[in-house]
Amino acid sequence: TGHSPQVKAFVTQDIPLYHNLEMKHLPGADPELVLLSLRYEELERIPLSDMTREEINQLVQELGFYRKETPDTPVPEEFQFAPAKSLPILLPCHVPTADGKTPSKCDKEEHPDL
């Protein structure tokens, strides 16, 4: 089954503009959008093969992915971890690592400039 030209256009032209959106190409597999939480747990899969490029763009923006003007545009601070909807409420630094310690970056004082 060939991928639809719509999906292909999205993959080649639109994905580079989205922050935190990565394409993993599986030969022969239908294109799917797999949403992961911050801890890389799979939240849901959305098949893209029947969607138009327009619909896919709308979908990822509704999911909260940040679309840049060009692939090199810097991402605003508040979108660094977007789509925020799929993130746990706890900030990443409060999630203990496998050995039970919290990551050291949290030991620094809170940013006074926030």
Side-chain angles (χ1 to χ4, degrees):
T1 53
H3 292 327
S4 82
Q6 295 276 339
V7 174
K8 198 173 169 125
F10 172 78
V11 168
T12 54
Q13 291 159 53
D14 295 318
I15 282 189
L17 297 175
Y18 285 101
H19 181 56
N20 285 346
L21 192 56
E22 284 173 30
M23 182 65 188
K24 302 234 184 308
H25 190 68
L26 301 172
D30 281 337
E32 287 181 315
L33 183 62
V34 180
L35 299 180
L36 297 176
S37 73
L38 205 59
R39 301 164 77 174
Y40 296 100
E41 293 157 341
E42 195 175 300
L43 301 176
E44 62 177 307
R45 282 174 180 255
I46 303 165
L48 301 180
S49 36
D50 298 332
M51 296 172 70
T52 65
R53 179 181 174 183
E54 194 60 38
E55 287 170 331
I56 302 172
N57 271 296
Q58 202 178 341
L59 170 73
V60 289
Q61 285 173 53
E62 281 170 9
L63 289 169
F65 287 97
Y66 179 71
R67 185 184 168 110
K68 302 176 278 186
E69 295 301 313
T70 70
D72 300 326
T73 307
V75 176
E77 190 70 34
E78 65 267 29
F79 289 108
Q80 286 294 332
F81 294 109
K85 279 181 232 178
S86 65
L87 300 185
I89 305 298
L90 289 173
L91 292 168
C93 64
H94 297 289
V95 179
T97 50
D99 57 7
K101 300 189 182 106
T102 45
S104 56
K105 66 179 175 191
C106 292
D107 301 340
K108 298 189 179 122
E109 289 150 41
E110 298 299 323
H111 303 293
D113 55 351
L114 282 184

